[in-house]
Amino acid sequence: MIHVFCKGVTKSAVRRFVFGSLATCVLALTFLNGTPIARAQLLWHVTHTDSWVSPSGHLDSLVCFTSVSCKGNICTAAAIVTTDPNQYVDKRLTMFRSEDGGASWKEQSFDIQYPMWLTNFGFTKVQQVDPLCAVGIADNGFVVKTTDGGQSWKLMPFPVQHQLADIDFSDSLTGIVVGIELDSEIFTTTDGGNTWTDRTKPGYYNLCSCRSFGHGEFRFFRYGRGQIYTTYDNFQTVDSTALIFDSVSDPKYYNDLVNCTFTAGDTILAYGRHWPSDTVDPSGGYGMIMRSTDGGKSWEQPFVFPTIKINDVTMTTDLDRDTIYAGGFSNHNLLVSTDRGASWRCDTIVIDTSYTPFSCWGLTMTGDEHLVASFSPVTNHSFSILARSSSVLSHVDVVEKIQYYTYVYPNPADRMVHISSIDRSNPYHVFDILGREVAQGVLSAEGTADLDVSQMPAGVYEVLLQYYELECCAGKIIVR
């Protein structure tokens, strides 16, 4: 296992967002609810890069991890593997398993026969149902399952060969699958997928998310506009909410909900993107996420994030804890909530110096409070890494403590300014309101520095401390 830090998140990139202009600075402060900015960052152990030695001993290259799921510290990850590093040929599907929360992985025996075109996208969803049971779906009715911890996988009989959007099992026997065709189909099972019951009826359009709660309770979600369907009596009756965005509130379809996450209660997160103009530009969307606490009957105000941070939200971790993470297509960023989705902020992804995490294909939380995720530098399924976050909360605490115990005085000042911090022997940088660096230095072994501001024009300046690869805004200087 390699423990590396990312230098790809450059100081200039951070400055352009945080200090690039007065308007941007105000946006950042407002975005963090007025709290002084600490650039909280997620530090990742890279478990696999773009090469992997399989149990058979040959080198597999261009590994793309397409989905990952954890139940406690037992995890399953689906992957597409190409054996020739120079050509996109000899692709195969496989599964990996971790029993230590993503710290180490072992490729499983996966000898199911499948059509080769499945390797274009692989398994779009896997679910770790319990320590021994896991399920996965791919296109055109391809459903697989293991009940022995991945020692063997079985292709489950499925009634149709249509595009499948989501699968969810409440236990090893009870599950639901939905498709995303125009006239979406719904199937449920109570015998572990050996037989399926068709629950389809007219009016189910573009279903993309589902959840099995057991005891005849299921929920599913409509792509784009966001209608929520619920049954409590095994589809004898089905309740439905109004569209989250209808033609009246959103006449130009500026909002597009691509997915949602359910809990055992009535809290639901819906997410996707907001288009700021009539032109649909895949790179110009604003990531959007919103919450309902009454089963979709009413929704709180959406959180819309700057394009520079994340332009499409496609997945979240489970809602069974206070801290929730969301990912999608972004620029080195994930979203984090510490109050079950009531508020959100951006965290920077810090991985490898040569790797740019843009697309998030899988995102899950382990039982020991680590994130495990699959990241790709591109928007297609070519290759990706499987990474495990390292001491997320403790690293955030370090930044916040440095910020809290750093003092800049006197303030305002016209000659000398003294910096005193619990940080030791690390660099500091001073920027003007336009994001230009006007001074720099290194804190002493005692955590102090003296800065001459007598030649600086009157104005407001930011002091940024650099703690290894972490950066935090530690205070302001007002020069008069």
Side-chain angles (χ1 to χ4, degrees):
M1 183 180 298
I2 307 168
H3 189 192
V4 289
F5 299 97
C6 182
K7 295 179 183 175
V9 185
T10 62
K11 300 181 184 68
S12 60
V14 175
R15 290 198 299 273
R16 281 197 300 273
F17 178 69
V18 182
F19 311 123
S21 66
L22 177 59
T24 304
C25 186
V26 171
L27 172 63
L29 290 170
T30 303
F31 180 68
L32 295 179
N33 298 321
T35 305
I37 300 173
R39 304 312 302 164
Q41 303 187 20
L42 303 181
L43 307 181
W44 296 84
H45 284 290
V46 177
T47 305
H48 297 301
T49 57
D50 59 347
S51 63
W52 166 256
V53 178
S54 72
S56 59
H58 65 276
L59 180 66
D60 292 326
S61 297
L62 296 178
V63 180
C64 179
F65 296 94
T66 57
S67 183
V68 62
S69 173
C70 293
K71 187 74 171 182
N73 283 342
I74 306 298
C75 310
T76 294
I80 305 171
V81 176
T82 302
T83 58
D84 188 336
N86 299 312
Q87 300 182 40
Y88 293 95
V89 296
D90 279 339
K91 289 183 177 180
R92 64 182 176 87
L93 301 181
T94 190
M95 295 285 186
F96 292 85
R97 177 178 169 89
S98 172
E99 298 182 354
D100 53 12
S104 62
W105 295 82
K106 180 180 179 181
E107 186 175 354
Q108 299 178 314
S109 174
F110 193 80
D111 55 2
I112 292 176
Q113 297 298 313
Y114 51 84
M116 287 310 299
W117 50 260
L118 277 184
T119 59
N120 290 332
F121 300 100
F123 290 98
T124 54
K125 172 73 179 289
V126 294
Q127 181 196 5
Q128 188 73 53
V129 181
D130 59 40
L132 294 178
C133 177
V135 293
I137 57 169
D139 273 348
N140 286 42
F142 203 80
V143 181
V144 296
K145 182 181 180 183
T146 179
T147 56
D148 56 11
Q151 295 183 50
S152 62
W153 285 83
K154 179 181 178 181
L155 179 62
M156 308 305 294
F158 201 71
V160 298
Q161 293 184 339
H162 293 169
Q163 182 180 359
L164 301 182
D166 197 14
I167 185 171
D168 189 81
F169 275 66
S170 52
D171 55 64
S172 61
L173 297 177
T174 309
I176 181 173
V177 172
V178 297
I180 201 169
E181 298 291 335
L182 183 59
D183 295 319
S184 292
E185 294 173 310
I186 306 172
F187 291 90
T188 61
T189 181
T190 56
D191 60 5
N194 292 310
T195 59
W196 295 86
T197 301
D198 189 351
R199 305 293 188 178
T200 307
K201 74 173 187 178
Y204 292 153
Y205 299 121
N206 289 335
L207 302 180
C208 62
S209 301
C210 59
R211 182 71 182 265
S212 170
F213 298 97
H215 307 291
E217 181 180 351
F218 300 91
R219 269 194 175 136
F220 42 102
F221 170 79
R222 177 177 173 177
Y223 174 93
R225 318 313 295 156
Q227 197 165 11
I228 305 292
Y229 300 88
T230 305
T231 177
Y232 298 98
D233 52 14
N234 207 27
F235 285 87
Q236 294 185 43
T237 60
V238 178
D239 299 329
S240 63
T241 66
L243 297 176
I244 299 175
F245 297 111
D246 58 26
S247 60
V248 176
S249 64
D250 186 21
K252 295 186 177 181
Y253 289 77
Y254 286 156
N255 300 295
D256 185 21
L257 296 170
V258 302
N259 219 325
C260 83
T261 304
F262 301 105
T263 59
D266 283 332
T267 298
I268 302 172
L269 293 182
Y271 38 90
R273 58 212 160 213
H274 168 77
W275 303 111
S277 67
D278 292 334
T279 301
V280 176
D281 177 5
S283 63
Y286 290 176
M288 177 182 65
I289 191 166
M290 55 197 305
R291 185 179 78 155
S292 171
T293 57
D294 57 8
K297 297 176 183 177
S298 62
W299 294 84
E300 299 169 358
Q301 188 72 18
F303 284 82
V304 179
F305 303 90
T307 306
I308 192 174
K309 306 302 287 183
I310 185 166
N311 56 48
D312 194 355
V313 181
T314 61
M315 64 191 67
T316 74
T317 56
D318 288 338
L319 311 185
D320 56 356
R321 63 193 78 200
D322 290 337
T323 299
I324 306 166
Y325 289 88
F329 300 115
S330 67
N331 180 23
H332 294 280
N333 293 293
L334 290 177
L335 306 177
V336 59
S337 171
T338 56
D339 51 16
R340 297 204 175 213
S343 62
W344 294 86
R345 72 168 191 268
C346 276
D347 270 10
T348 304
I349 304 169
V350 182
I351 306 182
D352 183 274
T353 56
S354 62
Y355 198 87
T356 303
F358 180 78
S359 301
C360 183
W361 297 121
L363 186 66
T364 185
M365 186 78 82
T366 67
D368 57 1
E369 302 294 324
H370 288 276
L371 273 171
V372 174
S374 171
F375 296 112
S376 171
V378 292
T379 57
N380 57 20
H381 290 74
S382 56
F383 69 94
S384 63
I385 61 170
L386 193 59
R388 178 179 189 262
S389 66
S390 175
S391 304
V392 174
L393 295 179
S394 63
H395 282 89
V396 172
D397 286 346
V398 168
V399 175
E400 292 178 346
K401 286 177 181 177
I402 290 174
Q403 182 188 44
Y404 187 80
Y405 290 105
T406 297
Y407 307 94
V408 181
Y409 59 92
N411 214 349
D414 54 12
R415 294 185 181 180
M416 297 297 296
V417 171
H418 186 69
I419 303 173
S420 176
S421 177
I422 61 170
D423 195 10
R424 301 286 189 270
S425 303
N426 279 315
Y428 69 86
H429 305 269
V430 180
F431 301 96
D432 65 15
I433 202 168
L434 297 179
R436 298 172 298 193
E437 187 173 43
V438 297
Q440 62 177 306
V442 177
L443 297 175
S444 69
E446 290 75 34
T448 62
D450 291 314
L451 176 64
D452 186 357
V453 300
S454 61
Q455 302 302 312
M456 293 183 186
V460 179
Y461 298 83
E462 300 277 355
V463 178
L464 186 145
L465 297 183
Q466 182 181 341
Y467 178 78
Y468 296 97
E469 297 300 329
L470 303 179
E471 296 177 329
C472 63
C473 178
K476 289 182 171 62
I477 301 172
I478 301 175
V479 177
R480 57 190 178 185

